[in-house]
Amino acid sequence: QVQLVESGGGLVQAGGSLTLSCAASGRTFSGYAMGWFRQAPEKEREFVAGISRSSDGTYYADFVKGRFTISRDNAKNTLYLQMNSLKPEDTAVYYCAAARGAIATKKYEYDYWGQGTQVTVSS
């Protein structure tokens, strides 16, 4: 079992930046690929970014490439999402998730989820 707790969300103006964190506890953090998803009101939860166990692989949704950066610190059991050049359409609840397998981009590939943190981007 892995417990995940997101933090760092908030209200920011368009063009601004935020860094989300996801603190993991329970099983060995380094044994899981990690990812960030987001869900806007009345929309499906969608993949944002993923990272492999040892950070040697990352993958991004097209709509965040060049603006968001996923990273992890296995010594601190923490996952990060640096978000720059934020747009109003980035407004959503952001979730971190852990997958037993390799780097993953689909919801069903992830085994554990956090409760989410709200990001609101004003125009």
Side-chain angles (χ1 to χ4, degrees):
Q1 190 84 5
V2 176
Q3 292 79 42
L4 303 170
V5 179
E6 302 94 337
S7 62
L11 174 65
V12 63
Q13 288 189 330
S17 299
L18 278 176
T19 299
L20 305 183
S21 299
C22 173
S25 61
R27 297 274 186 180
T28 305
F29 178 68
S30 59
Y32 293 85
M34 299 295 295
W36 287 98
F37 287 74
R38 70 186 188 185
Q39 187 167 15
E42 301 182 357
K43 291 191 175 181
E44 293 286 322
R45 191 171 298 189
E46 61 183 356
F47 172 79
V48 175
I51 188 167
S52 63
R53 299 183 189 99
S54 59
S55 303
D56 57 352
T58 56
Y59 193 84
Y60 296 92
D62 287 343
F63 54 78
V64 301
K65 281 182 181 176
R67 299 190 299 124
F68 291 10
T69 302
I70 188 171
S71 62
R72 65 190 296 167
D73 186 335
N74 287 345
K76 295 183 178 179
N77 291 346
T78 305
L79 175 73
Y80 303 98
L81 185 68
Q82 173 67 43
M83 305 186 294
N84 299 324
S85 303
L86 282 161
K87 306 174 181 180
E89 52 264 44
D90 293 319
T91 295
V93 177
Y94 282 72
Y95 299 88
C96 70
R100 294 191 187 96
I103 187 171
T105 63
K106 303 292 191 295
K107 286 184 292 184
Y108 68 82
E109 295 175 298
Y110 284 83
D111 303 288
Y112 303 102
W113 294 83
Q115 293 300 304
T117 185
Q118 176 71 48
V119 172
T120 303
V121 184
S122 63
S123 57

